[in-house]
Structure formats: C-alpha cells, structure tokens
Amino acid sequence: MLAFQAGDARAFEALVRRHRTPVFNFILRFVGQRARAEDVLQETWLKVVRSAGEYQAKARFTTWVYTIARNLCVDSARKESYRQAASLESPVSGVDGEEGRALADALPDSGASPERGAYNARLRPLLERALASLPEEQREVFILREYSGIPFKEIADVTGVSENTVKSRMRYALDGLRRRLAELGVDGDLAEDGRTVVG
Amino acid sequence: MKPQNLHAHEDRLLDFAYGELPAPDAQVVESHLQGCARCTQALDDIRGVRVTMGHLSEESAPDAGLESLLAYAQQSARRASAGPAPKPSRWRRWLLPVVGLASVSTLGILTFSAQSPELTQANLAAAEVMPSKKAAPVPSASARSAEPSAAPAPAAAAEAPPPPPEMRDDDAEYAPKDAAKTRSAEVQRAEGWALAGSGGDVGGRGRADELKAKVKGAESFGGKQSRSKTAPAEKSQREVSNLDEEALAEAAPAQAVASSSPPRDGLRLGGSSAKKEANKLSADDLAKDGAWDEGPGAPALEAVTEPLAQGTVVSAPAPSSANESRGGVAQQPSDAREQLELDRASASRAKSPMKATRKAEAVPEAPMPRPAPVTPAAVGRSEAEDSASGSSVAELSRQAQSANRAGDRSQEARLLRLALAAGASGTERAGLLNRLCDAELALGRRREGLAACNQVLTEAPGSSAAQAARRRLSHEAESVETPTSDAQPAP
C-alpha cells in the first residue's frame, strides 16, 4: 500500500488480486446478496484508491480494507432496511445472546438428500441460511474470524469495539450457529461423514 | 473446578480453538481439557460449528469492474507520483481572478479611451465657456473696480436707468450661459457616449455640422443686426429677449454692482451667439455648436472665400478670443464694438428699462434683419463675392453690410478692403475704415483692426468715425490691460 501511495499502480494491482476474493466473500456473507456484494466490493476498492493518502503504515492493510468494507456493508444494510425490501435471509430480530429468525424459516425445507453428490448443493443454502440468521454484529465477527482469518484483536479494530466484546459476540455467534444448524438438521459430525440428520 | 476458573478456561477455549493462544497457555489448556469434560464438550461444539460452516465454500470475486478499477488506480497513482498536482489547481484558482481583473482593467481603459474624445470635447466646450467664466467675471470685477475712474463719466452723466438695463443684459445673458454650459456639458457627455458606443457617431457629427451651420447662420443674423445703424441697441435687446425671465430676475441684483461689463460682451462671439440661436435651436444644438466651433483649423479658414467655409470662418474668432483672453488680449475686439453699441443702446433704450418692454421693442426695431433667412444669406454672400471685383465703392459697402448682417465678418472685412481699394474717399472712406476696424477686431485680428482704426484717426481725425475709432481703441487698450491682470492668478 505504501508503494501505491508512492505512485506504483502495480502494487495496488497486487493488493487487489491478493485480497479481492476474501474481501468479496466477507461482503457477500455480510450482505447476503451477490449483486449488492459486487457493488459494495467495487465501492470498497474505489474507496481504497481514493483514501490511499490517508492510509498509515501503523495499521495492517487487511485491517484497513476490511474496515472500509465493513462500514460500506453496514451502510448498504441500512439502506436496504430503509427500503424495507425484506430479504429472505435477513433476520427478523436478534440481539446478543438471542438467535435471529430468518424469514426463510417460514419456507418449507426442501429436505436433505442422502445422496452424497448432492450434499454440497443442499448444504450450502442451509449454511447460508444459518449464517444469515445471526445478528449483524455477531455475523460480521464470525465471518471476519472464520473466513477472513482476522484475529480477534484486529476484528476489534475493524468493528470499533473491544476485543472482549468481539470474543463475546463470537461465542454467541457459535452458539447461535450450532443451534440453528441443529434446527436445520445439519449436524457437524454427520456433515463430516457426508450425511445429514435431517433427511 | 471453580466457576471463575471454568469461565476463564472457556474464554481461553475460544483462543485455543482458533490458535491464538501462546504455546505455554495452549499447553495449560490442553492439560486442563484432559481432566475437564465440560470444557472438552465446549471445545467440541466450537470445532463442530467451525467444521460445518467450513463447508461453506469460498466464492470467487467477480471480474466485472476490475479493469476500470485498475485503470482508476493507475490514474490516481500517476497523480500521486506527479506530486505537486495541487499547485496547478491553486495556480488556476488565482489565474481566473487575475485574468478577470485584467479583462476588466482593459475594458475600463478602452472605455476611458473611448470617453476621451468626449472629455476632449467637454474640455473644448469648457474652454469655450471658460473665457466667459474666467475672463468675464474677473474683468467685470476689474471693470467694477475701474469703473469709478474710467467708465463713470458716461454712466454717471447719463440717466440712471440706462446702465441697469445694460447690466441686466449682461448679467441675464450670463446666467443662461451657465445653464447652457451645464446643458452643453451634459450634451457633450451624451455625445461622447454615443461616440464611445458606436466608435464614432458619423450621423451625429453630420447633424452637429448641420446644426452648426444653422447656428452660424443665426449668429450671422445676429451680427447683421448689430451692424445696422440701430444695431447696438437692437443687438442688446435681442439678446435680452432671448433670456429667461428668471435669469433676468436673478441678474437684477447685480445691476447695482457695476454699470457695464465690457469683458462679458466680448464673449458674445462664442457664448452670446449661442444664446441668440436659442430661439431656433435647442440647448443641445448650442452645446454641440460650442464644441464644434473650436478647432485649430478654424482661423486658417478665414482666408477661404467659399460659402461653405464661411460657416466655419465665423467660428474662428471664438478660439482666438479665447486664446487671447488667456494671453491677455481677450475680448478687445468685441469689447470696443460692444461698448459702442451699448452706448448707443443705452440711449435708445432709455425709455424702456424693463426687459419685457424691451423684448417687445426688439421686434419692431429690427424688422429688416429678422426676415432674412439663413440660407439665402449664404447664397447672397457668394453672389456678392462674385460681383465684388467689378462693383463700385457703394456697392461693395452695401455687400459688406450684407455680409455683416449674415454674420460673415471675414467676408465683410474683405469687401471693405475691396471698397477701400476701389477708391473710396472722404467720409465714406473713414466710415469704411471704421467698419473694417470693427470687423477685424471682431475677427480677432487685433493688429489689422488697430491699424484700420489708427488709419481713420490719421485720415479723418475730426470725423464721427474717428471718434468711434478712438473710443474703440481706448476700449481695446482697457481690455488688453484687464486680461493681463486676469492672467496672473491663472496657473
């Protein structure tokens, strides 16, 4: 990033190619919609370019770029809530310690297939549904730690809360996911075996 | 295990599960997990969720917008590498006001330069009016001071009423002059704007020339009257008739100050002539006339005998008198003549001190000159000029008188010289010389005029023409002294 600040465009290209996919997955799992995720991703990198002069070397680039992405995700989620365009994956409510209920819960479950070849195709929506059922603050912490590999301390920097708060939110997120996965009939052990409880 | 320790281990389990515990702490937790089923279950739950959610495969980022993003970043990197990019913007920020200021300044200069002709005209008009303002009041003041010594004789000897009408004439004549001056300044300004706006008001100039010619004609009309036998009184009365009642009323208090003001009369060549045409022309026309009459080439046109040029010849005395007034020889020609005229007028108007009656008298007293049209007079001048060479002395004298009525003093002087050369003798010659003296002085040719007057004194010292010439010379001498005293305070 310092090289890009000095005018090296190729340094920025290297940054993009290295962090683009993780950032995109974070955004996608945060907002839950691919189209919106793509917009937020583009916006994130544009903001990285525009704000390149403000970057300081004391922070890691990962922390900086995820902070930008996370803020844009929050803004996008607020805009979406203002439009009251309810998403199937958006939770109805939820605070720390409580599991959010997705509108998708009202939909009939397509059911689990015993066939292993169709496992991923059927498991993925369930996992996404379980993840979307988490409150926003828990979801972002879980995504950042589980998928983006950001340490708790840096997640605290990204989200602007203390590290203990981050860990607390992480515990709630793990408990919520476990219960939700159980509700959805997804067992971790069975998943490892390629089978589902529900089905 | 105490609950507090258990809670502490659960906190550390999270770090342990994600591998964020240092190795020593991780060993402690592992040893604890071997003997604690609850912590082992908690760790299994964490690992189970992680394993399950780990099946959520990573999706690749879309390539859409990547190229544009990189191009944008490249552009931004170039700006960043350019470094002093903000400086040009700052320079541009200053450039716009500077250029705007320069444009405004240029426009102002151009406007000023476009106005300068107008200012020049205004100055010329002012220069024309200046003699009336500068020379007239001061000479009048000097005349007032000198009045007890020189002028009182006729004034005191005569009846009391005559001097006041003369003063009313002069003062009242002077008051409209100021008004006409301001009006002329306004008109000059407006004319200047017209010139500035169009880059030269050709039409306006032509119109001004036309009006000037008309004014000349009217001026010659006035001069013609002044040259008639009853000319002095008529001229003064006609001038008074052109004045406003209010101006006369304002001028009335000044009557007690002085009995006469010859220097003001000297301005009649330029200023009063303009007033004379006030009946026919507007103040604007007069103002233009005052501006156009001035010109360095005007005196040179005196020798021109063409009718068209004669319109300009009339204007020649104005600048010369103005120059002379600055040089100390101002108004002398007209002063002498006017004094003579005023003396005659004082007698003729003794019965009619009031301006209203005088206004009424002016019409019957001057029935001859008034009907004379302007254009025919010019035509008559050219005809008289053609026949001048072969005419007799009487005919030439008559033609000179006609030229005088037409206001063409130059032509008059020329015809008078022809008449003298034709062999005039005796009283007729003295009269012709006297008229020539008057004409030359009126034209500003002081030397020629004085020569003619001296010749009258030499050839016919006892004649009435010699008396008039003597009087004219004395006034000429006075007017020479007066401007010199006036010229002293001038810068």
Side-chain angles (χ1 to χ4, degrees):
Chain A
M1 190 60 197
L2 294 176
F4 176 63
Q5 277 184 326
D8 187 358
R10 284 179 297 182
F12 178 77
E13 186 176 354
L15 285 173
V16 170
R17 297 204 181 279
R18 184 191 305 169
H19 297 282
R20 195 160 182 261
T21 298
V23 171
F24 173 70
N25 280 272
F26 164 73
I27 295 170
L28 177 63
R29 286 158 187 168
F30 193 104
V31 300
Q33 295 179 2
R34 188 174 182 89
R36 281 173 59 197
E38 291 179 357
D39 292 342
V40 173
L41 176 69
Q42 191 72 3
E43 203 172 343
T44 298
W45 288 108
L46 287 174
K47 193 162 187 178
V48 168
V49 174
R50 291 192 202 108
S51 306
E54 302 171 6
Y55 174 73
Q56 294 178 349
K58 63 183 180 183
R60 289 180 62 191
F61 174 74
T62 307
T63 306
W64 187 60
V65 72
Y66 275 102
T67 303
I68 293 174
R70 182 254 178 192
N71 291 336
L72 290 173
C73 287
V74 171
D75 291 343
S76 177
R78 285 175 183 169
K79 289 176 186 173
E80 190 66 16
S81 67
Y82 290 153
R83 282 200 298 259
Q84 295 183 347
S87 169
L88 291 178
E89 291 79 15
S90 64
V92 175
S93 62
V95 291
D96 286 352
E98 293 184 3
E99 208 176 66
R101 295 180 59 82
L103 292 177
D105 293 346
L107 298 177
D109 193 352
S110 58
S113 168
E115 301 176 3
R116 188 179 177 84
Y119 170 74
N120 287 334
R122 289 189 291 114
L123 183 62
R124 183 182 180 86
L126 296 176
L127 298 179
E128 289 177 348
R129 189 176 296 181
L131 184 62
S133 67
L134 291 178
E136 187 177 285
E137 60 274 13
Q138 296 175 20
R139 188 167 67 246
E140 67 179 2
V141 170
F142 179 81
I143 295 170
L144 285 171
R145 186 65 192 88
E146 187 65 38
Y147 298 108
S148 302
I150 308 293
F152 291 117
K153 184 173 175 55
E154 291 185 22
I155 292 174
D157 294 337
V158 170
T159 58
V161 295
S162 68
E163 186 178 351
N164 287 332
T165 303
V166 169
K167 288 179 180 176
S168 175
R169 288 177 180 177
M170 187 66 184
R171 279 193 295 272
Y172 283 119
L174 289 170
D175 285 343
L177 282 173
R178 183 174 56 81
R179 283 198 299 261
R180 184 61 184 155
L181 287 173
E183 290 174 3
L184 293 173
V186 179
D187 189 336
D189 295 334
L190 291 175
E192 286 182 355
D193 298 335
R195 295 182 292 107
T196 60
V197 175
V198 183
Chain B
M1 182 180 283
K2 296 179 181 178
Q4 188 176 1
N5 292 335
L6 179 66
H7 182 70
H9 282 297
E10 284 183 355
D11 279 347
R12 299 177 76 178
L13 283 177
L14 194 60
D15 292 329
F16 181 79
Y18 281 95
E20 292 189 17
L21 273 181
D25 294 343
Q27 289 178 357
V28 172
V29 171
E30 280 183 4
S31 62
H32 172 75
L33 287 173
Q34 289 175 357
C36 182
R38 180 188 174 93
C39 288
T40 303
Q41 182 61 39
L43 182 61
D44 289 343
D45 289 343
I46 293 172
R47 285 178 174 170
V49 172
R50 289 194 64 188
V51 169
T52 302
M53 294 305 292
H55 284 90
L56 195 60
S57 61
E58 190 177 62
E59 293 199 14
S60 61
D63 292 334
L66 180 61
E67 294 301 321
S68 61
L69 175 67
L70 294 177
Y72 177 66
Q74 203 166 7
Q75 209 174 26
S76 178
R78 274 201 298 269
R79 283 199 299 267
S81 61
K87 286 185 179 177
S89 66
R90 196 180 306 161
W91 187 72
R92 283 175 197 156
R93 207 162 46 210
W94 282 103
L95 178 67
L96 184 63
V98 167
V99 170
L101 190 63
S103 305
V104 171
S105 302
T106 306
L107 185 65
I109 291 170
L110 288 175
T111 305
F112 182 76
S113 61
Q115 277 184 322
S116 59
E118 173 223 359
L119 293 175
T120 306
Q121 287 181 0
N123 290 338
L124 289 173
E128 183 180 297
V129 178
M130 273 302 289
S132 66
K133 203 169 185 180
K134 175 183 169 186
V138 177
S140 67
S142 63
R144 287 167 194 155
S145 61
E147 193 64 27
S149 60
E159 299 176 9
E166 289 178 3
M167 283 310 299
R168 276 190 209 130
D169 291 352
D170 298 332
D171 291 343
E173 173 185 339
Y174 203 59
K177 235 179 240 177
D178 290 339
K181 183 178 65 179
T182 57
R183 282 196 300 266
S184 69
E186 293 174 1
V187 170
Q188 293 295 340
R189 204 174 301 122
E191 189 178 19
W193 277 111
L195 291 171
S198 63
D201 186 10
V202 178
R205 179 179 283 264
R207 179 171 167 270
D209 290 338
E210 181 182 337
L211 292 170
K212 186 170 57 177
K214 288 181 181 177
V215 170
K216 295 294 182 295
E219 189 175 358
S220 66
F221 172 69
K224 181 170 59 181
Q225 279 193 338
S226 67
R227 298 314 306 163
S228 64
K229 291 299 178 183
T230 58
E234 290 172 0
K235 182 179 179 183
S236 300
Q237 290 172 352
R238 197 174 339 108
E239 289 172 359
V240 171
S241 68
N242 293 333
L243 299 178
D244 293 335
E245 298 290 334
E246 294 177 359
L248 288 169
E250 290 176 2
Q255 293 172 3
V257 178
S259 60
S260 67
S261 58
R264 291 181 187 172
D265 290 338
L267 297 172
R268 286 178 184 170
L269 279 175
S272 66
S273 63
K275 286 199 306 300
K276 291 170 190 173
E277 286 84 50
N279 289 337
K280 297 178 181 179
L281 298 173
S282 65
D284 296 353
D285 299 335
L286 291 174
K288 287 178 183 175
D289 175 60
W292 288 109
D293 279 347
E294 298 266 347
L301 292 174
E302 290 177 356
V304 180
T305 55
E306 294 180 4
L308 287 175
Q310 287 172 359
T312 314
V313 170
V314 179
S315 65
S320 63
S321 67
N323 294 333
E324 287 174 4
S325 70
R326 296 188 188 99
V329 203
Q331 306 110 3
Q332 187 61 25
S334 59
D335 283 352
R337 184 194 66 203
E338 288 296 327
Q339 185 59 39
L340 179 62
E341 292 170 358
L342 290 172
D343 291 341
R344 294 174 184 172
S346 62
S348 65
R349 282 179 287 135
K351 297 177 182 178
S352 58
M354 298 303 294
K355 54 186 175 294
T357 56
R358 273 186 279 118
K359 193 181 290 184
E361 288 173 5
V363 177
E365 281 184 7
M368 294 291 289
R370 282 194 184 276
V374 175
T375 308
V379 175
R381 283 200 305 271
S382 61
E383 291 174 353
E385 192 176 332
D386 294 337
S387 61
S389 57
S391 301
S392 64
V393 174
E395 179 64 20
L396 288 170
S397 175
R398 190 187 60 78
Q399 289 178 1
Q401 193 168 357
S402 299
N404 185 3
R405 288 172 186 161
D408 193 346
R409 306 304 298 269
S410 174
Q411 177 71 3
E412 180 193 7
R414 179 176 167 278
L415 291 170
L416 289 171
R417 288 187 184 283
L418 287 174
L420 289 169
S425 60
T427 309
E428 187 179 24
R429 178 176 174 80
L432 289 173
L433 284 170
N434 189 27
R435 288 163 58 189
L436 179 62
C437 174
D438 187 18
E440 293 290 354
L441 290 176
L443 288 171
R445 303 172 191 160
R446 185 169 174 273
R447 192 176 57 185
E448 288 85 353
L450 293 177
C453 286
N454 288 328
Q455 198 170 353
V456 174
L457 296 175
T458 305
E459 293 180 2
S463 64
S464 59
Q467 291 179 354
R470 197 174 292 111
R471 203 174 302 154
R472 191 174 288 120
L473 287 174
S474 66
H475 283 290
E476 178 72 10
E478 287 178 10
S479 63
V480 168
E481 292 172 3
T482 303
T484 50
S485 62
D486 176 39
Q488 286 174 354

